[in-house]
């Protein structure tokens, strides 16, 4: 039997991991990337990402995070690049709320990994957070920060070192399956033929695969960096995720001079595609972030010292789409990572690679293939707030 020919379309967060995994196997693998690995227009822009073991939504994800942790270590070893800085992450939430209850269940399962703090303990230990009366916190001792652009660059470069072909600044225009083969056409009308294709096109997925657009809501996300006020410092401000009253997260910048802050789905602008997204931000765009900082971080100045935008795809359930294309059985679509896909991306890339090679689905990935994803109502996909 001839070697499998596999394409990975989009080598951002997920695609670069799938490419790296496939490059280690006995197959011919070709990647297509609209820009360059680690570029600023996709879902991975903005300096850093939270890596946390604490789960706030779905306990089925826990084994995937363990696998991702192993693969980050392997990628670090193979590339010699530092990809994470694991100094802990604080999860803050209202004690009675569902995400906090899920987080507490995670903490009960792995007591050594977490420190559960009462309202009074959180206030005493983290005085720089204006913790509300009904909030508690869980410190995730083994969590921390991921450097996303380095991660994508390392996975892509290792894949090429291992023999993968990577076409950069190359846009795939269409994908078509006929008689068991998949035809990938670029914008110069050049066609390549593959046995299997993994599409990991992020917020461009609906544009590349129009019949799947209804399953994804594309959003523009804003990241903002806030610096300490005069005579204040960043000490006592670890990375955090807070689920109520309004989802937010923050990460100290690698140079230790500012806290990067972002909000959740309700605050993101609906877009058709990153190609037509607005990169300029108005003061009105920044206001929800400034209001959060005024309330939660009295020691930080309340106008950002810098900001950036990036783009993400969401599913209705907020659980990622990792399943074959409904009409093209040889095409796996990986999209809709709904604002939380980076930490698990090495494990997700491995899941995509195993599918492409025809290997059995591992138990930790089965639920992804069994989900019955619902389309968004047209009004929901474009609704604001
Ligand atoms: C602001 C922000 C903060 C986040 N914070 C966290 C966090 O703290 N922790 C966490 O775990 N997750 C976080 N996430 C989520 C995580 O970053 C995303 O879920 C993840 O990056 C999605 O990866 P992706 O591969 O789907 O998209 P991308 O990384 O955008 O990759 C898609 C790639 O496809 C390429 N492409 C698109 N169309 C084509 C085409 N036609 N031809 C060729 N190439 C194409 C694009 O150029 C791009 O490189 C955050 C997301 C955002 C936006």
């Amino acid at each position: 039997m001839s070697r499998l020919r596999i394409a990975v379309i989009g080598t951002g967060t997920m695609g670069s991991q799938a490419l790296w995994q496939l490059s280690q196997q006995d197959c011919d693998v070709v990647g297509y990337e609209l820009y360059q690995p680690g570029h600023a227009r996709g879902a991975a822009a903005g300096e850093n990402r939270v890596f946390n073991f604490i789960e706030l939504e779905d306990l089925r994800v826990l084994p995937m995070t363990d696998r991702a942790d192993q693969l980050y270590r392997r990628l670090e070893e193979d590339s010699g690049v530092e990809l994470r800085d694991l100094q802990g992450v604080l999860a803050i939430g209202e004690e009675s709320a569902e995400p906090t209850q899920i987080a507490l269940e995670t903490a009960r399962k792995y007591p050594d990994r977490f420190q559960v703090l009462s309202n009074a303990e959180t206030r005493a230990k983290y005085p720089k957070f204006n913790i509300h009366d009904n909030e508690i916190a869980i410190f995730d001792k083994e969590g921390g920060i991921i450097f996303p652009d380095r991660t994508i660059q390392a996975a892509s470069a290792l894949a090429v070192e291992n023999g993968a072909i990577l076409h950069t600044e190359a846009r795939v225009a269409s994908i078509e399956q006929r008689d068991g083969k998949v035809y990938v056409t670029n914008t110069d009308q050049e066609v390549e033929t593959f046995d299997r294709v993994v599409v990991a096109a992020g917020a461009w997925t609906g544009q590349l695969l129009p019949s799947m657009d209804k399953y994804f809501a594309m959003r523009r996300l804003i990241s903002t960096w806030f610096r300490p006020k005069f005579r204040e410092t960043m000490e006592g401000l670890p990375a955090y995720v807070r689920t109520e009253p309004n989802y937010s997260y923050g990460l100290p910048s690698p140079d230790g001079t500012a806290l990067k802050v972002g909000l959740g789905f309700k605050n993101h602008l609906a877009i058709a595609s990153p190609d037509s997204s607005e990169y300029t931000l108005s003061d009105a765009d920044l206001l929800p972030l400034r209001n959060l900082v005024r309330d939660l971080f009295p020691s930080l100045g309340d106008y950002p010292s810098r900001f950036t935008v990036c783009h993400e795809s969401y599913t209705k359930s907020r659980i990622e789409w990792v399943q074959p294309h409904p009409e093209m059985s040889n095409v796996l679509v990986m999209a809709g990572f709904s604002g939380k896909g980076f930490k698990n991306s090495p494990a997700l890339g491995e899941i995509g690679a195993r599918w492409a090679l025809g290997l059995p689905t591992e138990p930790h990935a089965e639920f992804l293939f069994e989900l019955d994803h619902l389309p968004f109502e047209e009004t929901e996909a474009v609704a604001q707030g």
Side-chain angles (χ1 to χ4, degrees):
M1 202 174 122
S2 60
R3 274 159 72 93
L4 279 178
R5 265 180 66 73
I6 299 170
V8 178
I9 299 176
T11 61
T13 308
M14 304 299 159
S16 61
Q17 296 292 340
L19 197 76
W20 176 50
Q21 289 292 333
L22 286 164
S23 73
Q24 299 168 56
Q25 304 300 325
D26 185 23
C27 64
D28 292 326
V29 59
V30 180
Y32 295 84
E33 170 49 50
L34 194 46
Y35 299 106
Q36 296 269 353
H39 68 82
R41 295 179 192 275
E47 199 169 68
N48 45 27
R49 291 288 179 271
V50 173
F51 179 86
N52 53 356
F53 285 99
I54 206 85
E55 185 47 42
L56 301 161
E57 291 179 33
D58 190 336
L59 294 170
R60 289 177 295 182
V61 172
L62 291 175
M64 213 191 304
T65 307
D66 283 334
R67 180 62 184 151
D69 181 47
Q70 289 169 358
L71 290 171
Y72 273 115
R73 290 175 200 281
R74 189 182 302 164
L75 185 55
E76 276 190 326
E77 260 173 46
D78 287 6
S79 66
V81 179
E82 187 197 9
L83 304 178
R84 295 183 300 173
D85 179 14
L86 303 178
Q87 297 194 39
V89 177
L90 198 61
I92 305 167
E94 290 176 6
E95 190 162 7
S96 58
E98 197 186 343
T100 309
Q101 290 304 314
I102 294 172
L104 287 169
E105 211 174 318
T106 316
R108 280 192 288 274
K109 274 182 192 285
Y110 303 96
D112 295 346
R113 263 187 190 159
F114 307 108
Q115 185 183 16
V116 179
L117 300 164
S118 67
N119 180 271
E121 286 166 339
T122 312
R123 283 182 168 159
K125 199 159 177 204
Y126 298 100
K128 286 205 174 153
F129 287 78
N130 177 30
I131 297 294
H132 291 193
D133 283 346
N134 47 4
E135 288 178 322
I136 62 161
I138 300 172
F139 187 64
D140 188 336
K141 292 184 250 180
E142 295 169 32
I145 287 172
I146 317 164
F147 304 112
D149 42 4
R150 287 187 212 169
T151 304
I152 293 173
Q153 193 189 30
S156 305
L158 279 178
V160 171
E161 256 185 31
N162 291 342
I165 292 170
L166 176 54
H167 301 299
T168 57
E169 301 187 44
R171 183 187 286 261
V172 170
S174 67
I175 303 162
E176 202 190 337
Q177 182 174 328
R178 266 181 281 124
D179 305 326
K181 294 282 176 196
V182 188
Y183 298 86
V184 172
T185 307
N186 69 13
T187 43
D188 293 328
Q189 298 306 313
E190 292 159 344
V191 183
E192 282 195 76
T193 310
F194 297 94
D195 298 297
R196 289 200 158 193
V197 170
V198 175
V199 177
W204 288 264
T205 306
Q207 191 175 335
L208 179 62
L209 304 171
S211 70
M212 292 201 66
D213 191 37
K214 58 180 182 264
Y215 292 107
F216 303 109
M218 309 306 177
R219 291 290 186 266
R220 181 194 74 173
L221 279 70
I222 302 174
S223 301
T224 42
W225 284 257
F226 291 89
R227 292 171 62 84
K229 289 175 181 165
F230 185 57
R231 296 203 197 287
E232 293 282 359
T233 68
M234 285 287 296
E235 211 175 307
L237 287 172
Y240 84 94
V241 177
R242 186 194 198 208
T243 43
E244 297 86 26
N246 190 8
Y247 185 90
S248 74
Y249 59 88
L251 303 98
S253 59
D255 65 0
T257 61
L259 188 72
K260 184 184 89 171
V261 177
L263 296 172
F265 184 70
K266 279 198 303 196
N267 289 96
H268 306 324
L269 186 73
I271 54 163
S273 141
D275 289 352
S276 53
S277 178
E278 178 54 73
Y279 281 78
T280 308
L281 295 181
S282 68
D283 276 340
D285 291 325
L286 300 175
L287 196 58
L289 290 138
R290 298 185 64 197
N291 285 339
L292 170 83
V293 168
R294 283 177 191 134
D295 174 46
L296 192 58
F297 298 110
S299 67
L300 297 180
D302 69 358
Y303 200 92
S305 55
R306 59 189 162 112
F307 40 76
T308 186
V309 302
C310 50
H311 306 99
E312 170 74 312
S313 59
Y314 288 77
T315 59
K316 193 164 167 134
S317 64
R318 308 280 193 275
I319 304 176
E320 47 270 49
W321 179 300
V322 181
Q323 290 185 8
H325 187 285
E327 289 106 41
M328 295 190 276
S329 55
N330 290 6
V331 176
L332 184 77
V333 179
M334 304 185 72
F337 292 96
S338 303
K340 55 191 165 56
F342 208 99
K343 72 172 188 181
N344 290 327
S345 60
L348 286 156
E350 183 180 54
I351 291 165
R354 289 181 66 88
W355 179 89
L357 293 162
L359 296 173
T361 306
E362 288 178 303
H364 67 255
E366 276 167 6
F367 79 98
L368 293 174
F369 287 90
E370 286 162 5
L371 285 171
D372 193 9
H373 283 284
L374 295 176
F376 281 96
E377 303 295 330
E378 210 170 308
T379 46
E380 267 178 317
V382 296
Q384 298 302 327

